[in-house]
């Protein structure tokens, strides 16, 4: 049976989806973008600030499911400019222990919701 995961500490969905779904011990998250959940404003000052907000939003969703980045087994990163990869990777990497980091793919896309530069989703297991 699936359990809807929701927290006010991450942005509310902007469409017909949920922040995450827990099925058994597996958490499937929707992609997070850099919306500050307190203000509802996008954080687009720098790619580093944007990525940090995305990761903080994901952290809040994981915590709502009683998990952490330690539970993450797979991530997907969507970016609009592969030239930003190094900066995104530095911020992203600060949330994981390199020795136990999850599997990942990074894909450059033409556009993302609300014209953001990065969106990240994760798969996690308790």
């Amino acid at each position: 049976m699936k359990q809807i995961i929701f927290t006010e500490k991450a942005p509310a969905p902007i469409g017909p989806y949920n922040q995450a779904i827990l099925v058994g011990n597996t958490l499937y998250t929707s992609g997070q973008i850099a919306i500050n959940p307190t203000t509802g404003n996008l954080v687009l000052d720098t790619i580093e600030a944007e990525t940090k907000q995305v990761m903080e939003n994901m952290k809040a969703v994981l915590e709502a499911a009683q998990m952490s980045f330690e539970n993450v087994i797979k991530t997907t990163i969507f970016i609009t400019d592969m030239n930003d990869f190094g900066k995104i990777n530095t911020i992203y990497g600060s949330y994981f222990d390199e020795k136990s980091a999850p599997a990942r793919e990074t894909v450059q896309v033409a556009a993302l919701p609300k014209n953001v530069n990065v969106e990240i989703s994760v798969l996690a297991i308790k």
Side-chain angles (χ1 to χ4, degrees):
M1 175 162 17
K2 72 179 185 180
Q3 177 185 350
I4 306 299
I5 302 298
F6 176 80
T7 177
E8 291 183 5
K9 294 179 180 178
I14 55 176
Y17 62 90
N18 288 291
Q19 292 169 331
I21 302 293
L22 183 64
V23 179
N25 291 330
T26 305
L27 183 71
Y28 302 86
T29 72
S30 294
Q32 286 293 319
I33 61 175
I35 296 174
N36 179 314
T38 303
T39 66
N41 296 328
L42 286 168
V43 177
L44 301 175
D45 304 330
T46 64
I47 193 65
E48 293 91 346
E50 184 175 353
T51 305
K52 181 171 176 47
Q53 184 65 59
V54 169
M55 295 302 287
E56 288 297 312
N57 291 346
M58 189 58 70
K59 180 179 177 182
V61 172
L62 288 165
E63 288 175 349
Q66 299 177 339
M67 294 189 195
S68 71
F69 284 107
E70 297 263 328
N71 298 97
V72 174
I73 60 166
K74 175 86 167 45
T75 65
T76 302
I77 303 175
F78 300 98
I79 60 177
T80 57
D81 185 350
M82 198 57 80
N83 292 316
D84 288 332
F85 176 77
K87 293 175 183 177
I88 292 167
N89 195 51
T90 297
I91 301 301
Y92 166 92
S94 71
Y95 285 82
F96 295 100
D97 176 356
E98 192 170 328
K99 292 180 182 177
S100 61
R104 175 184 81 186
E105 68 256 334
T106 303
V107 182
Q108 180 174 317
V109 296
L112 289 166
K114 296 194 173 276
N115 295 313
V116 299
N117 302 297
V118 61
E119 180 174 359
I120 299 174
S121 63
V122 308
L123 187 62
I125 295 181
K126 281 190 179 182

